[in-house]
Amino acid sequence: MTTMKIVADTTRCVGAGQCVLTEPDLFDQSPKDGTVIVLDDDPPPELHRAAREAALVCPSQALSVEE
Amino acid sequence: MATSEMSDLRQFPVIRTCPYTPPTEYRELARDEPIARVGLPDGGWAWAVSRHEHVRQVLNDPSFSADRSHPDFPSQAPAGQKPQRLDEADRTILTMDPPEHGPARRAVLGEFTVRRINALVPEIQRIVDEQIDQLLAGPQPADLVETLSLPVPSRVICAMLGVPYADHPFFQVNTAAMIKRDTPMPERREAFDRIRGYMSDLIATKEADPPDDLLGRQIRQRRAEGAYDRRSLAALGFLLLVAGHETTANMISLGTLKLLDDPEQHAKLRADPERTAGAVEEMLRYFTIADSAVARLATADTTVGDVTIRAGEGVLLLGLVANRDPDVFPDPDAFDVERPARHHLAFGFGPHQCLGQNLARVELRVVFDALLRRVPTLRLAAGVADLPIKSDASIFGLYQLPVAW
Ligand code: HEM
Ligand code: SF4
């Protein structure tokens, strides 16, 4: 079974929240400045698709998934 | 560039005459020349970029500037009506570049997180229900733009900012004047100055004891950081007020039109409320109302596709075309509420991607859910071909949408 690591570059994040819309179990936003908080950087396999989708829709390429 | 060559260029702006179908010129560009030189009203030219992949690349590349007041920034406004250079204090995140843009955007981002916006749902629901009550209590046919499309986003953004809604006729008139492409420059400038003056006076009244609204919280936060300046907060308030109501209003009108005119898709939504959020994304993609609002100025030579864009050249990002890129959206001209469409570019892309996008999403979802369920017999009271289209505005939409039920 493959493992995955989600890496977020908060300096690039522009707080669009597209990741949170994609998978609220994996992502949240800082209440202060809206930047991304990764809730689980080693997601279970059933959330791998959502993690890839989040990396795709993120407008600032702040998210990457390593598989 | 030689004039003989110039005269061969397709001329922008291209007018949208059909609410559904992008103009023929757009289709030709996408098919024949996805990165093309096009003529601008001031006699200059810019690159028009049509592919999804290329639009994403340009909007996410820091060597393209968003400074709309730069003299070389490509403008689709009539000749002689290009925006003037803004004073330092009047600039907003919309026109800022890195490194200045990020911190300025983060200073308000906390107000627009998915969580914060979701907390506003009950308030938005109440506003939507009140407007639908008003619609139903009035005569038929009714104009949906006046009774629902405009008041909902306008009331919501007023409540968020702490702007008295009673003043909305004032800024509605002035916003419309600013957005119409052929408003003469002096009038556009006057409309701009009036809203800005209003915003500045309003903020002044909040300074003594900042209330718990967006503007009040910004006063406190900026004071705490030792960076409070009324004029720059007024510029932000102005941006939010203007960006926050025309756009969403046009999407309410166009989305309703499409649903009433497409019984099959309408039925799909009625059958399952879970589909509304996806339908909203599809509407945003399909209409891409801010298509002609997204442009950039190259500040370094950059290769995009087969083309080298040189520093100093302008770029128009044709989101409307990119959102119908068949490589990304199969059968792109079909309106399909079940299509996965969230990677559309209707909110732009990159660091300037719409700050209010999650607010707009929630407003649209609540509106369509309520309208479909509370007024199941809603129907168009005019032919689609007869609807007054905003072909003369930089934000696409409808002036009126007659409905009956
Ligand atoms: C359906 C409705 C909306 C559409 C289609 C839309 C579209 C857009 C687009 C395309 C941009 C990017 C401009 C660029 O890259 O140059 C943008 C930026 C922006 N929008 Fe929206 N918008 C909508 C609703 C809203 C709302 C409701 C608000 C505020 C309450 C808002 C506030 C902003 C702001 C402040 C920016 C500038 C962000 C920045 O430059 O960092 N918009 N919008
Ligand atoms: S989608 Fe990207 S830019 Fe937006 S909040 Fe998530 S990480 Fe940040």
Side-chain angles (χ1 to χ4, degrees):
Chain A
M1 195 174 57
T2 52
T3 58
M4 175 183 268
K5 189 163 167 53
I6 302 177
V7 181
D9 179 350
T10 50
T11 62
R12 290 189 68 99
C13 173
V14 298
Q18 295 258 35
C19 51
V20 188
L21 287 183
T22 307
E23 188 43 77
D25 287 343
L26 290 181
F27 305 99
D28 199 354
Q29 286 169 282
S30 140
K32 197 172 148 283
D33 68 5
T35 55
V36 63
I37 298 166
V38 180
L39 300 174
D40 182 356
D41 69 355
D42 174 19
E46 65 271 21
L47 294 183
H48 284 188
R49 242 191 87 204
R52 281 184 219 112
E53 162 93 8
L56 174 76
V57 295
C58 170
S60 61
Q61 282 155 17
L63 296 175
S64 51
V65 291
E66 294 163 7
E67 301 189 57
Chain B
M1 179 184 262
T3 27
S4 60
E5 229 177 291
M6 280 291 295
S7 59
D8 292 340
L9 296 181
R10 282 189 186 80
Q11 233 16 68
F12 269 55
V14 175
I15 303 303
R16 284 171 82 164
T17 52
C18 171
Y20 304 145
T21 315
T24 318
E25 293 88 336
Y26 267 28
R27 303 177 155 261
E28 289 169 0
L29 280 175
R31 189 191 58 212
D32 305 334
E33 209 183 346
I35 307 178
R37 286 176 205 256
V38 298
L40 296 176
D42 65 1
W45 63 275
W47 295 105
V49 175
S50 305
R51 288 227 168 105
H52 191 268
E53 176 199 349
H54 296 153
V55 171
R56 278 173 51 121
Q57 180 194 335
V58 170
L59 289 179
N60 211 1
D61 182 337
S63 51
F64 291 93
S65 164
D67 182 3
R68 285 165 172 75
S69 66
H70 190 287
D72 296 335
F73 198 88
S75 167
Q76 300 198 51
Q81 298 196 19
K82 287 178 77 158
Q84 292 162 5
R85 201 147 184 98
L86 291 172
D87 289 341
E88 193 66 19
D90 292 335
R91 294 163 62 250
T92 64
I93 52 174
L94 185 64
T95 67
M96 286 178 189
D97 291 322
E100 195 186 18
H101 174 263
R105 181 166 161 131
R106 277 167 197 209
V108 284
L109 257 178
E111 300 279 351
F112 290 93
T113 61
V114 173
R115 201 178 278 273
R116 275 297 279 283
I117 299 299
N118 284 343
L120 298 177
V121 168
E123 167 86 358
I124 295 173
Q125 184 74 56
R126 193 179 57 77
I127 290 174
V128 168
D129 280 332
E130 281 176 16
Q131 292 304 139
I132 293 180
D133 290 345
Q134 254 186 50
L135 173 77
L136 294 176
Q140 305 191 38
D143 175 18
L144 195 88
V145 173
E146 200 187 307
T147 45
L148 189 74
S149 311
L150 275 171
V152 167
S154 187
R155 288 181 63 181
V156 171
I157 193 69
C158 284
M160 257 183 104
L161 290 174
V163 170
Y165 181 65
D167 293 341
H168 81 281
F170 161 82
F171 50 79
Q172 224 147 54
V173 169
N174 287 297
T175 309
M178 275 175 44
I179 287 177
K180 259 181 96 147
R181 240 186 225 133
D182 60 359
T183 303
M185 198 57 209
E187 268 174 55
R188 192 188 295 264
R189 186 80 216 175
E190 280 163 28
F192 180 94
D193 285 344
R194 275 196 294 267
I195 310 184
R196 201 183 47 181
Y198 168 89
M199 197 41 90
S200 177
D201 293 347
L202 177 72
I203 290 170
T205 67
K206 295 181 188 273
E207 281 170 357
D209 180 18
D212 193 20
D213 53 37
L214 190 151
L215 292 172
R217 286 188 295 270
Q218 284 286 313
I219 295 174
R220 287 182 199 276
Q221 182 184 318
R222 290 171 182 219
R223 274 189 183 144
E225 288 159 6
Y228 177 63
D229 168 44
R230 185 190 299 165
R231 201 160 152 188
S232 102
L233 183 56
L236 174 69
F238 175 100
L239 173 67
L240 294 176
L241 196 61
V242 174
H245 86 267
E246 262 283 326
T247 45
T248 313
N250 287 321
M251 278 310 303
I252 293 175
S253 308
L254 291 167
T256 306
L257 165 66
K258 184 67 193 160
L259 290 179
L260 297 183
D261 196 28
D262 191 335
E264 194 189 324
Q265 299 295 321
H266 191 172
K268 279 193 195 173
L269 273 200
R270 289 261 291 281
D272 183 2
E274 291 289 311
R275 290 186 177 137
T276 313
V280 165
E281 301 301 328
E282 175 66 347
M283 288 170 186
L284 288 161
R285 177 193 78 88
Y286 191 78
F287 291 110
T288 315
I289 54 167
D291 168 71
S292 53
V294 186
R296 294 292 185 266
L297 177 65
T299 59
D301 296 359
T302 310
T303 303
V304 182
D306 301 334
V307 170
T308 301
I309 296 178
R310 306 269 171 211
E313 294 176 350
V315 189
L316 309 177
L317 291 313
L318 306 186
L320 180 62
V321 192
N323 277 339
R324 297 199 184 199
D325 186 332
D327 292 342
V328 182
F329 304 100
D331 193 8
D333 294 329
F335 176 80
D336 176 3
V337 296
E338 291 180 290
R339 169 202 298 280
R342 205 150 51 76
H343 48 310
H344 64 68
L345 302 168
F347 288 126
F349 197 69
H352 291 277
Q353 194 183 54
C354 183
L355 178 73
Q357 57 183 283
N358 296 311
L359 177 61
R361 284 186 167 107
V362 165
E363 291 182 85
L364 292 170
R365 181 167 52 78
V366 172
V367 164
F368 294 123
D369 270 340
L371 203 55
L372 258 52
R373 280 167 194 86
R374 289 193 55 197
V375 201
T377 55
L378 192 70
R379 62 178 196 278
L380 295 177
V384 176
D386 301 326
L387 295 174
I389 291 181
K390 293 189 180 172
S391 47
D392 53 352
S394 54
I395 305 290
F396 186 64
L398 300 173
Y399 284 111
Q400 277 156 19
L401 182 61
V403 292
W405 52 92

